[in-house]
Each structure stands twice: as C-alpha cells, then as structure tokens.
Amino acid sequence: MVNPLFGVAEPRDDGSCAIAAMEPGQIPAVGEILSRAFRDNALNRAVIASEDPERRLDANRHGMRALLPVAREFGRVLTASSDGALSGALLSSPPDRYPLPAPGWLPRLRCLVGQGWRVARRWGDVFDELHWLHPCEPHWYLATLGVDPDHQRRGVGTALLDTWLVEVDRDGLPAYLETDSAANLAFYGRAGFAVVNQIELLGVGVFCLERPPH
Ligand SMILES: CC(C)(COP(=O)(O)OP(=O)(O)OC[C@H]1O[C@@H](n2cnc3c(N)ncnc32)[C@H](O)[C@@H]1OP(=O)(O)O)[C@@H](O)C(=O)NCCC(=O)NCCS
C-alpha cells in the first residue's frame, strides 16, 4: 500500500521505537539530534578543525539548519522516536534526486557566517570529492544516519535503516552511502552493504559502501 508520507514505505512502530516521515515542525529537534550524533566523528572533527566539542556542535547546527528543509522537500527524512522522544533520523535522496539542490542564498549565507567560511569551504571540498565516487547507475543514497548518543546501541539505527530499505527494495535499486567510521562497517554489513571504495579526506579514511538491488 502506498503511504503518502513516505511514498511507499509504511511507518513502523515496534512498541519501543516508532519510525515516521519528518514533520516540518520537527526540523529544529532533528537538527539537534544529528548535530549531537556527528559531533565527534572523525571527518566532522577534521572539517571543523576544533578540539572544542561545543564549537563542533554549533557548526553542525548551522549546517543542519540549511540542509534539513531541502532534504525534507526534495529527499526523504525519516525520524525515530523512542518512548515518545525523538532519538534518531535518516536523510536520503531517491534516485532522481541526487544531488539535492543547494539551499537558498539566505540559508547558505547564514550557514557560511555561522560555521565560518573555512569550515563551509572544507565541507564543499569534501562533498565534491565524494560526488565523483557515486555509482553511475540509478541508486538510493543514504546521506545521513544519526542516533542521539543517549539512545545509541538500542536498535534505533537498525530500525531506521530497515524501514528505509523497504522503500529501496520496492524500487529494486542499489543503495549507496559513505561512512568515516570503521566501527560502522559491521552495522551496515548486516544490512547487506559492502565496501566498494576507500579514500582519504583531510587525513580521515572514508569508506564508500554499496548494497546491490534486493
Ligand atoms: C551508526 C549509528 C547510526 C548506529 O545507530 P544505533 O542506534 O546505535 O544502532 P543499533 O543500536 O541499531 O546497532 C548498533 C549496535 O548496537 C547493537 N545493539 C542493538 N540493539 C542493542 C541493544 N538493545 N543492546 C545492546 N546492543 C544493541 C547492535 O547489534 C549493533 O552492534 P554493532 O556495533 O556490532 O554494529 C549510531 O551509532 C550513530 O549515530 N553514530 C554516529 C554518527 C554516524 O557515524 N552515523 C553513520 C554515518 S553514515
């Protein structure tokens, strides 16, 4: 059955973790969750080039503020709620929507000022490098998957990924993602992803993973 929120995937509620499409009013809360989730990731540290966790959190918030409205309008944003509290989110691009359009000039300007132009430029360089490694054939792209640190290792990430893959599999297309953490390879491996490329960006090893059509 087609669900108007997702396109095809059904919302999922296993009792402890409910997955649904992001509502516009959830953008600030989802931005906060993802900013916290990625605060200490290696690539985030290298791009923001600050040992101060608050500075990295702040830079992430500015990035999310610009990205999330575009991701909601042109891509798919799934949220997870655990016992009623927002706990994680997954941002993706359908095959005909990669790359997502750039935010408007005002959100971009706010992001540039908020993050600082050096950080914004380094993110731009990173995304340019990653762009060239994308598969040529149509694919679903998992742009971001993050779980609030207080909710990690309780199955939230798996619930988001599994719900998203239902829609990917209905399309019968490959899925693709990048991760800067070797610790995530087993997590994605269980869902059928395998490493197809590995590069170094700003001194950080980044893995490109692909999942064949199911
Ligand atoms: C990667 C990430 C999304 C995983 O989300 P998560 O909610 O922690 O994932 P899950 O709980 O479903 O599974 C993670 C691990 O916890 C284990 N686990 C799941 N439920 C569990 C439970 N109830 N108790 C203990 N462990 C559990 C899983 O077996 C899995 O084991 P693994 O480490 O061997 O892979 C999350 O850690 C995160 O946001 N990391 C920071 C950002 C990031 O790196 N994102 C991915 C980049 S693309």
Side-chain angles (χ1 to χ4, degrees), residues 37-38 41 142-148 151-159 177-181 183-184 186-188 190:
F38 283 89
N41 273 47
L142 196 169
T144 306
L145 169 58
V147 174
D148 188 280
H151 287 88
Q152 287 177 10
R153 302 192 68 80
R154 295 181 197 170
V156 174
T158 302
L177 62 89
E178 302 105 0
T179 182
D180 61 356
S181 165
N184 288 342
F187 170 78
Y188 287 120
R190 272 193 294 278

Side-chain angles (χ1 to χ4, degrees), residues 22-46:
M22 182 178 73
E23 301 290 341
Q26 291 181 304
I27 286 178
V30 169
E32 187 63 23
I33 296 268
L34 293 176
S35 299
R36 280 164 54 81
F38 283 89
R39 188 190 71 177
D40 298 334
N41 273 47
L43 191 57
N44 202 55
R45 283 174 175 273

Side-chain angles (χ1 to χ4, degrees), residues 22 24 27 62-77 91-94 97-108 111 143:
M22 182 178 73
I27 286 178
H62 285 287
M64 287 299 160
R65 220 167 280 154
L67 169 68
L68 279 169
V70 176
R72 183 180 180 277
E73 187 174 350
F74 297 98
R76 294 278 196 281
V77 184
L91 278 56
S92 71
S93 307
R97 288 288 166 85
Y98 172 83
L100 290 174
W105 68 268
L106 190 56
R108 256 188 297 162
C111 183

Side-chain angles (χ1 to χ4, degrees), residues 48-155:
I48 299 167
S50 170
E51 286 307 307
D52 178 1
E54 280 306 315
R55 160 81 180 111
R56 296 198 300 274
L57 201 50
D58 190 54
N60 289 353
R61 285 178 183 133
H62 285 287
M64 287 299 160
R65 220 167 280 154
L67 169 68
L68 279 169
V70 176
R72 183 180 180 277
E73 187 174 350
F74 297 98
R76 294 278 196 281
V77 184
L78 297 179
T79 61
S81 302
S82 307
D83 300 320
L86 206 61
S87 51
L90 183 155
L91 278 56
S92 71
S93 307
D96 54 342
R97 288 288 166 85
Y98 172 83
L100 290 174
W105 68 268
L106 190 56
R108 256 188 297 162
L109 185 66
R110 282 202 192 111
C111 183
L112 189 85
V113 172
Q115 290 190 326
W117 73 269
R118 283 191 189 82
V119 174
R121 196 199 57 208
R122 280 196 288 271
W123 274 129
D125 291 346
V126 163
F127 291 127
D128 280 352
E129 292 279 341
L130 293 174
H131 173 72
W132 297 111
L133 297 172
H134 267 249
C136 296
E137 73 265 30
H139 62 281
W140 276 84
Y141 175 48
L142 196 169
T144 306
L145 169 58
V147 174
D148 188 280
D150 292 343
H151 287 88
Q152 287 177 10
R153 302 192 68 80
R154 295 181 197 170

